């Protein structure tokens, strides 16, 4: 007699909302077996030709994929493959493989695979999650090259045997592009994070996804699984109760999502008439379409570093000017806050020559890097200033930790203005300049900083990281990463009070702003603008419309008096449950 398999729940991070119930398809290891062979000297030439032909074929395949995704999705997703093409064109890698083949008389696929393994091992040791995720790109390209050397087809997600939920250790951009959209219901992976391509793709394709799962080991091909992209849970071999629960949850979720889209035009205003600005965070120009679709009151954060990360060389003033202008003109009268370069210590090593640091997150990054490279900084400022003449553009400096940084940055803005005047190029003389409050020191001297700037935007992602001394990318330390920690709430309240006293506005642009659990707390602490990824705007708009300001203020006061993050969160959870039980039950597991 067949015994019933036991239900297992595996936790990960919610990467793309929605529920899928279906049959698991496990993607096997993509790494082909590569064995070492000794060559005769006369075989070297043909070995190198095979290697080079495989590189050319890979290049063609990637360009084709890029074309395909450009047609089906948009430019920003297609640009992901630029990174792949750069890897194929990496002369250091190619020359070193060929040299090894010639000098050691070994097969090219083995030499190539060894180099790739070395690259990946090195990259995986770097703590920056963005860089770490580039290891997936390298593995993806390497698998293609090896398959081409061996004359084999890579495992493909193109022709699935029917509707499936894809389970994999990792998903590469080519996997996601090649996916048979009709038949992929969802995906769940062991790797990936907030900035991973898989997360970007999942949201753009509107497929539920859970990433960074504790493990995928208990899942077998053909198992029934449920992917809950709201809470980041995967249930394997669900019980009848779980199946029933999630089927109902999906029906509810679908109805809510539909309803939210139809209500995007409603004002984000509390029942008692307090208006909150709902703005969008964007990384690429194409994101503006989503910002408009969800009726954003502006762009609260444009992460301009993507403009640099995605290009082979540094974008000049003209390229940046056109980019900013295009975004601003699409947003018409709505404000666009352009954050100046926030490159981490380790990013862009090739384009900007940076030294390795033991603690890149505490090192030479963001405003520190810009002040250390005034020419690079001024180029960006001049491009922003020139674009400001046409629209409501504001400048924002990231990672401020002391007064001197603000003063120096403002001085460079003045120099940039002076140069533009000399060049007879116009700009908005009164452009607003704000700073991100994302270090505890900036929050604690906010009353001094407020005298120098027009607005504050609280970057809670980093503020939590630096205040609680928890790496925001660490899966292991996730339990200590608590946005409702009393220290964080107290810093937010301090900054908000300072802003009010000084008559400047204050927003929140970290992930907290788009999380329904914190809406009442932030509104109750006097935050004027919440800026978030466009897909989060629907639920937050709806919650704001159900809040009464005096209640939100009470909740915030109670939470601020708590000794633990959990107690504080309990207040906001209970309030959300009271005012919007539907959204509450979607995002809180088991509610
Ligand atoms: C933040 O730190 O909260 C923020 C919005 O900036 P980023 O996530 O780009 O560091
Ligand atoms: Mg930040």
């Amino acid at each position: 007699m067949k015994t019933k398999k036991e239900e297992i729940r595996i936790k990960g991070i919610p990467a793309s909302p929605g529920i899928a119930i279906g049959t698991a398809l496990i993607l096997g290891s993509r790494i082909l077996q590569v064995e070492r062979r000794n060559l005769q000297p006369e075989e070297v030439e043909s070995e190198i030709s095979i290697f080079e032909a495989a590189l050319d074929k890979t290049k063609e395949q990637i360009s084709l994929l890029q074309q395909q995704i450009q047609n089906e999705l948009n430019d920003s997703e297609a640009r992901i493959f630029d990174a792949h093409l750069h890897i194929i064109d990496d002369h250091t890698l190619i020359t070193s493989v060929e040299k090894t083949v010639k000098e050691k008389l070994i097969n090219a696929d083995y030499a190539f695979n060894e180099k790739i393994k070395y690259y990946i091992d090195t990259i995986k040791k770097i703590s920056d999650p963005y860089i770490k995720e580039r290891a997936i790109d390298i593995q993806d390209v390497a698998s293609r090259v090896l398959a081409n050397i061996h004359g084999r087809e890579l495992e493909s997600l193109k022709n699935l045997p029917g509707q499936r939920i894809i389970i994999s250790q990792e998903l590469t951009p080519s996997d996601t592009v090649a996916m048979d959209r009709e038949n992929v219901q969802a995906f769940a992976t062991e790797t990936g994070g907030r900035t991973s391509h898989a997360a970007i793709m999942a949201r753009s394709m509107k497929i539920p996804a859970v990433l960074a799962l504790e493990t995928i080991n208990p899942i077998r091909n053909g198992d029934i699984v449920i992917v809950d992209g709201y809470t980041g849970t995967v249930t394997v071999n669900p019980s009848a109760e779980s199946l029933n629960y999630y089927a109902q949850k999906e029906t509810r979720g679908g109805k809510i999502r539909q309803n939210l889209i139809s209500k995007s035009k409603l004002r984000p205003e509390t029942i008692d008439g307090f208006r909150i600005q709902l703005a969008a965070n964007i990384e690429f120009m194409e994101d503006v379409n989503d910002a408009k679709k969800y009726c954003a009151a502006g762009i609260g954060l444009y992460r301009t570093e993507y403009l640099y990360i995605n290009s082979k060389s540094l974008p000049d003033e003209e390229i940046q000017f056109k980019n900013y202008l295009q975004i601003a003109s699409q947003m018409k009268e709505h404000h666009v806050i352009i954050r100046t370069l926030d490159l981490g210590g380790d990013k862009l090593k090739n384009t900007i020559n940076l030294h390795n640091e033991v603690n890149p997150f505490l090192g030479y990054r963001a405003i520190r890097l810009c002040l250390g490279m005034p020419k690079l900084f001024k180029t960006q400022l001049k491009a922003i200033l020139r674009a400001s003449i046409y629209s409501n553009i504001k400048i924002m400096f990231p990672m401020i930790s002391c007064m001197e940084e603000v003063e120096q940055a403002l001085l460079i803005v003045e120099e940039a203005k002076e140069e533009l005047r000399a060049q007879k190029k116009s700009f908005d003389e009164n452009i607003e300049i704000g700073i991100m409050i994302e270090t505890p020191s900036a929050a604690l001297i906010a009353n001094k900083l407020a005298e120098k700037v027009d607005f504050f935007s609280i970057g809670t992602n980093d503020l939590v990281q630096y205040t609680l001394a928890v790496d925001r990318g660490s899966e292991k330390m996730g339990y200590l990463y608590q946005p409702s920690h009393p220290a964080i709430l107290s810093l937010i309240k301090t900054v908000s009070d300072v802003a009010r006293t000084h008559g400047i506005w204050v927003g929140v642009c970290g992930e907290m702003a788009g999380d329904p659990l914190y809406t009442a707390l932030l509104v109750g602490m006097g935050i004027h603008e919440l800026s978030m990824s466009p897909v989060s705007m629907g639920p937050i708009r709806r919650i704001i419309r159900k809040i009464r300001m005096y209640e939100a203020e009470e909740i915030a006061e109670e939470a601020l008096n708590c000794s633990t993050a959990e107690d504080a969160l309990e207040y906001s959870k209970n309030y959300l449950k009271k005012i919007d039980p539907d959204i509450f039950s979607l995002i809180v597991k088991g509610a």
Side-chain angles (χ1 to χ4, degrees), residues 194 281 301 303 305 339 342 365 436 438 458-463 472 509-511:
R194 212 169 63 82
N281 291 353
L301 167 66
R303 292 182 162 107
E305 51 277 9
R339 175 174 77 181
D342 185 11
R365 58 168 296 205
M436 289 196 68
E438 46 186 351
I458 306 176
T460 49
N461 302 341
D462 278 319
L463 188 64
R472 73 193 236 189
C509 64
E511 296 300 299

Side-chain angles (χ1 to χ4, degrees), residues 201-273:
M201 291 286 199
R203 285 194 288 268
S204 155
M205 289 157 71
K206 299 179 183 72
I207 300 178
V210 174
L211 306 185
L213 280 175
E214 290 152 351
T215 171
I216 57 165
N217 288 345
I219 315 175
R220 298 279 166 267
N221 253 336
D223 277 352
I224 299 295
V225 288
I226 302 173
V227 174
D228 181 348
Y230 295 110
T231 59
T233 320
V234 170
T235 309
V236 191
N237 304 316
S239 63
E241 296 82 65
S242 294
L243 279 169
N244 193 21
Y245 164 77
Y246 280 108
Q248 283 183 23
K249 183 168 178 175
E250 180 42 8
T251 314
R252 261 194 348 259
K255 273 194 197 144
I256 293 176
R257 282 200 301 276
Q258 268 324 104
N259 186 274
L260 289 174
I261 293 173
S262 70
K263 296 201 167 147
S264 291
K265 288 210 168 71
L266 294 178
R267 278 198 235 156
E269 202 171 271
T270 62
I271 294 177
D272 40 0

Side-chain angles (χ1 to χ4, degrees), residues 93-211:
L93 170 69
I94 299 169
T95 322
S96 121
V97 170
E98 296 188 348
K99 195 164 169 251
T100 312
V101 173
K102 280 182 201 153
E103 289 176 0
K104 294 198 174 155
L105 293 177
I106 54 170
N107 47 325
D109 47 339
Y110 182 79
F112 176 71
N113 200 32
E114 290 301 293
K115 286 271 176 287
I116 292 294
K117 280 204 274 190
Y118 172 73
Y119 273 27
I120 290 176
D121 285 349
T122 313
I123 283 181
K124 282 192 170 160
K125 283 187 198 126
I126 295 170
S127 60
D128 183 333
Y130 183 87
I131 307 257
K132 247 186 191 161
E133 280 155 15
R134 301 291 75 78
I136 300 179
D137 292 331
I138 297 182
Q139 185 59 66
D140 191 16
V141 175
S143 304
R144 280 182 185 285
V145 173
L146 291 173
N148 285 331
I149 295 178
H150 291 235
R152 282 178 47 180
E153 291 289 322
L154 265 187
E155 247 173 349
S156 162
L157 291 172
K158 249 197 164 77
N159 302 305
L160 296 174
Q163 294 252 302
R164 289 290 184 275
I165 290 179
I166 306 301
I167 309 288
S168 173
Q169 204 175 27
E170 63 190 27
L171 270 183
T172 66
S174 3
D175 288 327
T176 40
V177 176
M179 267 181 193
D180 168 1
R181 303 270 177 89
E182 296 288 294
N183 285 318
V184 174
Q185 294 170 271
F187 57 75
T189 65
E190 244 178 29
T191 55
R194 212 169 63 82
T195 59
S196 70
H197 296 315
I200 298 171
M201 291 286 199
R203 285 194 288 268
S204 155
M205 289 157 71
K206 299 179 183 72
I207 300 178
V210 174
L211 306 185

